[in-house]
Amino acid sequence: MHPISAEGRQYHIGCKPGDLARYLLVPGDPDRVPKIASFWDEAKEVSCRREFRSFTGNYRGVGLSALSSGIGPSCMAIVVNEAANVGVETFVRVGSTGAVQKDIECGDLVISTAAVRLDGTSSHYVPIEYPAVANYEVLLALIEAAEGLGVKCHVGITATSCDFYAGQARLVPFQDFQHPKQRNMISSLQKARVLNFEMECATLFVLSSLFGLRAGAVCAVYANRLTGKF
């Protein structure tokens, strides 16, 4: 059973075929969608349901859309499934992230080549041995854009967690709880040359590869877990 209306409107994102362009920017926060659209030559709101807010329009003659995913891998899976169902072919996650390497500063960008699959959601689609990798065309386009704008960026592997607190080796704020296996997570990722923590890339990359879609991700660094800067 697919909960889709007679006109093809998707159950969660509220979009039907023709509402979204082939190219889709995917921030997490719904409030970021109109901010992104404000830079386009033309934009209009399409739908706003739960955490899924969408705008569509064009920039320099190219049709594009933006759709918020909310927080976490399960929400990203909904976005990929339903947006692809109405015609989206290329997904670019535009998010925020925390760095786990000392040389990455707040305000820098991280462009993900691949992701460590700590997300949980992607394992429902394919075994953990299947890699979570960005599409090479989207990856190269993001790198070229960052270089052309003169923006400081870091290119490498991202870790995707399904949880913001314990899943990213933070003390749980309510009771300062931490599972023993999480205590060395940051240092282990650092030694493995992982650049950053976030909550959606692995799911996006796995599903896009499985479905024959293109995906990439660029995130702004909001915090550095090693230096304590935020």
Side-chain angles (χ1 to χ4, degrees):
M1 174 184 174
H2 298 287
I4 302 171
S5 72
E7 60 180 344
R9 192 174 299 279
Q10 303 299 297
Y11 182 69
H12 295 94
I13 66 173
C15 299
K16 64 182 186 304
D19 282 345
L20 300 178
R22 294 168 54 198
Y23 303 101
L24 183 68
L25 302 177
V26 188
D29 187 346
D31 288 341
R32 294 175 185 163
V33 175
K35 292 179 181 178
I36 290 171
S38 69
F39 291 94
W40 302 348
D41 298 324
E42 181 182 349
K44 64 176 182 179
E45 186 165 15
V46 175
S47 179
C48 187
R49 293 188 178 184
R50 303 186 185 187
E51 61 265 57
F52 307 110
R53 188 177 188 182
S54 55
F55 274 61
T56 197
N58 69 78
Y59 179 68
R60 296 184 179 180
V62 177
L64 77 168
S65 299
L67 168 63
S68 55
S69 66
I71 298 175
S74 59
C75 292
M76 178 59 80
I78 288 173
V79 166
V80 177
N81 275 282
E82 296 191 4
N85 219 24
V86 298
V88 174
E89 298 174 0
T90 300
F91 295 77
V92 180
R93 165 160 159 68
V94 183
S96 55
T97 190
V100 294
Q101 298 292 339
K102 289 184 178 179
D103 64 322
I104 301 179
E105 300 176 355
C106 292
D108 291 356
L109 298 182
V110 172
I111 297 173
S112 303
T113 58
V116 182
R117 289 176 59 188
L118 306 177
D119 64 310
T121 298
S122 62
S123 296
H124 292 292
Y125 291 82
V126 70
I128 196 66
E129 291 82 5
Y130 189 91
V133 293
N135 174 270
Y136 75 96
E137 293 174 311
V138 181
L139 173 63
L140 292 175
L142 289 171
I143 294 171
E144 182 180 357
E147 290 177 347
L149 292 169
V151 177
K152 185 178 178 182
C153 69
H154 308 264
V155 181
I157 298 172
T158 289
T160 298
S161 171
C162 60
D163 179 69
F164 183 80
Y165 291 105
Q168 295 186 31
R170 290 182 172 91
L171 290 176
V172 177
F174 177 54
Q175 294 183 339
D176 286 342
F177 170 83
Q178 186 177 53
H179 194 285
K181 75 173 185 178
Q182 304 296 84
R183 290 172 184 167
N184 296 320
M185 177 181 285
I186 299 295
S187 61
S188 296
L189 292 173
Q190 182 189 23
K191 291 175 182 177
R193 301 184 186 277
V194 171
L195 300 183
N196 61 310
F197 249 137
E198 56 80 70
M199 298 179 66
E200 288 85 20
C201 281
T203 308
L204 172 62
F205 292 168
V206 168
L207 268 60
S208 294
S209 294
L210 279 176
F211 299 160
L213 305 167
R214 304 193 308 172
V218 55
C219 291
V221 176
Y222 278 36
N224 187 302
R225 297 296 303 281
L226 298 176
T227 65
K229 291 182 179 179
F230 182 86

